[in-house]
């Protein structure tokens, strides 16, 4: 590759890195040319452009674009899925995860709305329902003011995932607290407390019965 061609590629990669807040990096060494074309077409349907890149040129582009987290991922055969502004990161992660299951590629990590994510994060992202379905489910699952729900839909994807996790933990805690009264022997304890007071109440009549005993003896004297 001539110097002018390298500079053109670096400039193009720099522009794409600057414009993509979400991208996924993969090791494609198990893919054939035909499989790369098929995967590229599938990802394009979900709003992502899948490109095989040269590490040395991509490192230069990443440094120029100020995307330092990408540098550590540029080892071995590398391909990057660049998400467009209207792309679906969940669907893209699912498509790539399906390729991982066939042992044709390995996910390295990437960026989600500008935040660095690892391979495990991508697997968790792939388990989520599609974005449209997720939003629809949240309408019935999230109990809160309408303004809170509207704000949730407007939040970035990473915040949306965080809110969902927090909501799940909250529902689990509420479920545990709701079950706790049924497990505690509250009724038995309430029954035992009056029982403990009953002997004291019985003891009082005994004392009143003993007190008048001397009085008849004094009258007899």
């Amino acid at each position: 590759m001539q110097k002018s061609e390298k500079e053109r590629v670096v400039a193009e990669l720099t522009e794409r890195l600057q414009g993509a807040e979400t991208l996924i990096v993969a090791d494609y060494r198990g893919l054939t040319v035909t499989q790369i074309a098929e995967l590229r077409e599938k990802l394009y349907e979900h709003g992502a452009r899948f490109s095989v890149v040269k590490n040395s040129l991509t490192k230069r582009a990443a440094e120029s674009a100020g995307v330092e987290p990408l540098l550590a991922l540029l080892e071995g055969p590398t391909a990057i899925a660049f998400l467009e502004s209207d792309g679906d990161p969940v669907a893209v992660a699912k498509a790539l995860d399906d390729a991982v299951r066939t042992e044709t590629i390995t996910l390295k990590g990437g960026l989600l709305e500008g935040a660095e994510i690892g391979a495990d994060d991508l697997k968790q992202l792939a388990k989520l329902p599609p974005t449209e379905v997720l939003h629809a489910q949240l309408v019935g699952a999230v109990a809160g003011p309408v303004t809170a729900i509207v704000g949730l839909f407007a939040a970035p994807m990473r915040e949306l995932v965080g809110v969902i996790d927090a909501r799940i933990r909250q529902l689990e805690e509420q479920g545990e607290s709701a079950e706790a009264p049924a497990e505690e022997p509250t009724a038995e304890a309430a029954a035992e407390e009056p029982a403990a007071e009953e002997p004291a109440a019985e003891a009082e009549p005994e004392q009143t019965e003993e007190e008048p005993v001397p009085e008849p003896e004094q009258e007899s004297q």
Side-chain angles (χ1 to χ4, degrees):
M1 184 181 294
Q2 297 181 354
K3 183 177 180 180
S4 59
E5 180 65 15
K6 290 181 180 180
E7 291 177 351
R8 184 192 66 80
V9 172
V10 171
E12 180 181 343
L13 284 172
T14 301
E15 182 179 357
R16 293 173 68 177
L17 288 173
Q18 290 174 335
E21 293 187 349
T22 300
L23 57 86
I24 299 175
V25 183
D27 184 329
Y28 69 92
R29 73 183 67 205
L31 293 176
T32 64
V33 175
T34 301
Q35 289 173 327
I36 290 176
E38 292 175 349
L39 183 57
R40 179 180 290 119
E41 182 178 354
K42 182 180 295 184
L43 295 177
Y44 184 77
E45 294 176 356
H46 301 305
R49 298 170 62 184
F50 190 68
S51 302
V52 174
V53 298
K54 189 174 180 62
N55 288 336
S56 59
L57 300 181
T58 306
K59 287 181 179 179
R60 290 171 54 186
E63 291 173 350
S64 178
V67 189
E68 285 76 11
L70 184 61
L71 298 175
L73 304 177
L74 300 176
E75 299 291 341
T78 304
I80 302 178
F82 297 88
L83 267 77
E84 304 292 343
S85 59
D86 58 346
D88 186 344
V90 175
V92 171
K94 283 183 181 295
L96 291 172
D97 189 59
D98 289 341
V100 170
R101 293 181 181 181
T102 60
E103 298 182 353
T104 53
I105 67 171
T106 303
L107 298 182
K108 299 180 180 181
L111 299 175
L112 181 60
E113 295 285 350
E116 185 177 0
I117 56 175
D120 292 338
D121 298 320
L122 291 172
K123 290 181 180 180
Q124 294 300 321
L125 185 63
K127 293 178 181 179
L128 292 176
T131 304
E132 295 81 2
V133 176
L134 189 60
H135 284 172
Q137 291 178 347
L138 286 174
V139 173
V142 178
V146 175
T147 53
I149 297 176
V150 172
L152 178 62
F153 289 169
M157 175 58 72
R158 66 175 182 275
E159 295 181 8
L160 181 60
V161 173
V163 170
I164 294 171
D165 290 339
R167 180 57 178 163
I168 291 174
R169 290 194 298 270
Q170 182 183 7
L171 291 175
E172 289 176 349
E173 292 174 359
Q174 291 178 352
E176 292 175 358
S177 61
E179 294 174 358
E183 297 175 356
E184 295 177 358
T186 306
E188 296 178 0
E192 291 176 359
E193 289 179 0
E197 294 176 357
E198 287 176 359
E202 293 175 357
E204 292 178 1
E206 291 177 1
Q207 293 177 358
T208 55
E209 292 175 359
E210 291 176 359
E211 289 176 359
V213 171
E215 295 178 0
E217 292 178 358
Q218 292 176 358
E219 292 176 359
S220 61
Q221 292 175 356

